[in-house]
Amino acid sequence: MNSAGDAFGFPFRDPGWVGKIVVQGLILIIPIVGLIAMAGWMMMTFDNLRAGRQELAPAGFHLSRGIGLFGAWLIYAVVLSIPGDILSGIGSGLNANHAFAGSPFTGLGSLLSFVAQLLLYFLVPSIIVMTYHHGFSGGLDVQGVWRLATSNMNNSVMAGLMMFVAGIIAALGIVACCVGVFFTGAYAAAVMIGVASWFERAQALPTGAAPSA
């Protein structure tokens, strides 16, 4: 990846991209297992990118490669969502009991949930890189993840923004009778791993020498 933006185009450089994304998207339909397989597919695609091959990994049930990344991502997502969920729950309870109509807790909870989502996007590139190199424990090394994410804030913000855009692309599949979300989700996952590949290389370069965004 010469730039973070290259991540959006690299999947199409693989001659077999259609079949791989379609099959991996179909696997994604399976609850939980599909997400773990997708995470494994991302890790294997990361292998290719680090080796200089802009190729998607073969589609399949790559559960052993994906369980670490899936587990780390899930824990971060759950922990970061707790404050917002608690406040939203309090607000809903007060509103239901008519004790405090229009409770500000609900709005504050939604705001915190949005901030938590942005923070997760900011951390995801570092979580992917740390999990790739050190497994599940590396992904849960909060100090290490934070250190990597903050070693060059510009790169982390750019990578997080690209991840956010990829998430929006994944959600667009809902308009195609909802089923399309599995295929846009597979494409978005490929984009995210492309961003992570750029991020890893950019963070390793001296300050001011990072590849263009």
Side-chain angles (χ1 to χ4, degrees):
M1 293 295 119
N2 295 318
S3 72
D6 278 354
F8 291 91
F10 106 84
F12 304 124
R13 299 188 186 112
D14 183 338
W17 71 270
V18 174
K20 293 177 180 179
I21 286 179
V22 168
V23 174
Q24 201 64 51
L26 290 173
I27 293 173
L28 186 58
I29 296 175
I30 305 172
I32 307 299
V33 172
L35 289 172
I36 298 174
M38 180 69 75
W41 185 63
M42 292 170 71
M43 291 287 95
M44 292 178 66
T45 298
F46 204 1
D47 287 338
N48 291 343
L49 292 174
R50 295 186 82 250
R53 303 191 307 273
Q54 294 197 17
E55 302 173 6
L56 299 172
F61 290 88
H62 311 297
L63 304 183
S64 61
R65 286 299 303 273
I67 189 64
L69 178 59
F70 172 78
W73 167 82
L74 181 62
I75 290 174
Y76 277 95
V78 170
V79 170
L80 288 174
S81 70
I82 289 175
D85 289 344
I86 290 175
L87 287 176
S88 294
I90 292 174
S92 297
L94 291 173
N95 287 333
N97 293 325
H98 305 290
F100 194 177
S103 170
F105 287 102
T106 303
L108 184 57
S110 297
L111 177 60
L112 281 180
S113 295
F114 179 68
V115 172
Q117 184 180 30
L118 292 181
L119 178 58
L120 182 60
Y121 277 119
F122 173 77
L123 294 175
V124 163
S126 297
I127 294 170
I128 290 174
V129 172
M130 290 291 290
T131 303
Y132 181 86
H133 289 286
H134 307 291
F136 177 67
S137 61
L140 288 187
D141 179 2
V142 178
Q143 269 193 322
V145 167
W146 185 253
R147 190 182 307 117
L148 179 59
T150 57
S151 61
N152 187 314
M153 292 292 290
N154 289 338
N155 292 337
S156 292
V157 170
M158 177 57 65
L161 177 61
M162 297 297 103
M163 295 278 185
F164 181 75
V165 173
I168 293 175
I169 291 174
L172 291 177
I174 294 176
V175 302
C177 301
C178 293
V179 178
V181 72
F182 298 108
F183 306 119
T184 54
Y187 167 70
V191 170
M192 287 181 176
I193 213 63
V195 171
S197 175
W198 169 84
F199 175 78
E200 178 190 44
R201 189 163 65 91
Q203 292 296 73
L205 294 175
T207 303
S212 62

